[in-house]
Amino acid sequence: MAATLTIQGLEVRYGDTVALTGVDLELPAGSSLAVIGPNGSGKSTLLNAIAGINPPFAGTISWGGEAPALVLQSTSVDRSLPITVRDTIGLGRYPRLGLLRRFNGNDGGAVAQAMAQLDITDLAGEQLHDLSGGQRQRVLVAQGLAQQSDLLLLDEPVTGLDVTSRGLILDVIHDEVTRGNSVIVTTHDLDDARICDQVLLVDRHAIAVGPPDHVLTEDHLVHAFGGRFIKVGDRLILDDPHHHHEH
């Protein structure tokens, strides 16, 4: 199976500061990758580099399909911004449309399908700023799906969400992989990382990459997180008090 994404010798800097270095990986089509590490370890930096927002200082990133769809975490929305759920999701079509071409039936169908997948069809006419944090996150994931890329990048998509939103987004990840697309998701949750095909553990540099059982070992986690995890029987549970998000 041809690789959707290949990264070799990646280093990303902000000015003179090295944000992430030493990343080498190959993500085959129809598979998932969890990127896990402490706060500030370079997880979002990696997604931004893959999406083309932060060009590499060194190394290469290549993929064999449409431009990746990047979905950021939900944040508060300015109440003066008048944009509906449907229009927000429709923005995901502009990478294909350009700024001048009008929506057609295919575009409308992609938006409708994305809303159905996230169970937000009944919210289509609602203002984005009126939604709960979980609902807004589902809208943003639907926007990513509407782009119809074969590579979906999700930045901590289920952190702090309600059970319903969390379950729907995890189902989307599974469905995308089943359809032959690839998904990269950043997370602080070891259980979420374990359900992916591969895991990349980072702390400003790549510590380990490979199958979950190979990467999520006690030695690797101590290297990345220090003492910020708890061992309960055979289970390791992250305890990172510096990781907070507002929704």
Side-chain angles (χ1 to χ4, degrees):
M1 188 176 294
T4 295
L5 177 70
T6 302
I7 298 177
Q8 296 179 322
L10 177 66
E11 180 169 302
V12 182
R13 295 188 180 188
Y14 299 119
D16 293 331
T17 301
V18 176
L20 182 65
T21 191
V23 178
D24 294 278
L25 66 87
E26 186 171 286
L27 181 65
S31 64
S32 56
L33 170 73
V35 184
I36 191 167
N39 235 16
S41 60
K43 300 188 298 297
S44 298
T45 295
L46 176 63
L47 295 193
N48 288 336
I50 295 170
I53 296 171
N54 294 334
F57 176 82
T60 60
I61 301 172
S62 61
W63 61 91
E66 299 284 344
L70 174 62
V71 178
L72 302 177
Q73 280 186 286
S74 172
T75 59
S76 59
V77 178
D78 189 337
R79 296 193 65 84
S80 67
L81 178 65
I83 187 168
T84 66
V85 166
R86 182 187 291 107
D87 289 341
T88 301
I89 297 169
L91 293 174
R93 298 300 296 170
Y94 282 98
R96 288 175 174 267
L97 281 169
L99 295 177
L100 300 179
R101 188 167 70 81
R102 291 188 175 185
F103 265 41
N104 59 30
N106 290 335
D107 301 311
V111 171
Q113 180 180 345
M115 287 194 294
Q117 284 182 260
L118 275 303
D119 195 23
I120 50 176
T121 303
D122 60 331
L123 301 175
E126 298 293 324
Q127 292 292 313
L128 185 63
H129 58 65
D130 287 335
L131 303 184
S132 69
Q135 290 171 330
R136 284 200 305 273
Q137 187 65 32
R138 284 150 65 184
V139 171
L140 294 181
V141 173
Q143 184 187 81
L145 292 179
Q147 189 170 325
Q148 295 184 323
S149 172
D150 58 5
L151 180 56
L152 181 63
L153 310 174
L154 302 173
D155 195 4
E156 299 203 26
V158 297
T159 299
L161 297 191
D162 58 275
V163 173
T164 298
S165 295
R166 173 184 168 82
L168 285 165
I169 292 171
L170 291 177
D171 286 345
V172 160
I173 295 172
H174 176 268
D175 292 345
E176 285 295 291
V177 171
T178 300
R179 291 188 178 97
N181 296 325
S182 298
V183 180
I184 300 178
V185 55
T186 65
T187 182
H188 264 64
D189 191 302
L190 292 178
D191 289 333
D192 289 346
R194 286 190 183 99
I195 66 176
C196 291
D197 298 304
Q198 294 188 67
V199 176
L200 170 65
L201 179 63
V202 296
D203 187 12
R204 296 186 179 272
H205 66 282
I207 295 172
V209 62
D213 289 345
H214 169 74
V215 174
L216 300 177
T217 65
E218 184 170 353
D219 286 346
H220 287 155
L221 292 172
V222 167
H223 188 169
F225 291 94
R228 296 193 297 274
F229 68 88
I230 302 168
K231 188 170 184 180
V232 181
D234 293 330
R235 289 177 57 81
L236 297 172
I237 303 171
L238 292 184
D239 180 27
D240 190 354
H242 302 294
H243 184 66
H244 299 286
H245 289 288
E246 295 181 0
H247 292 277

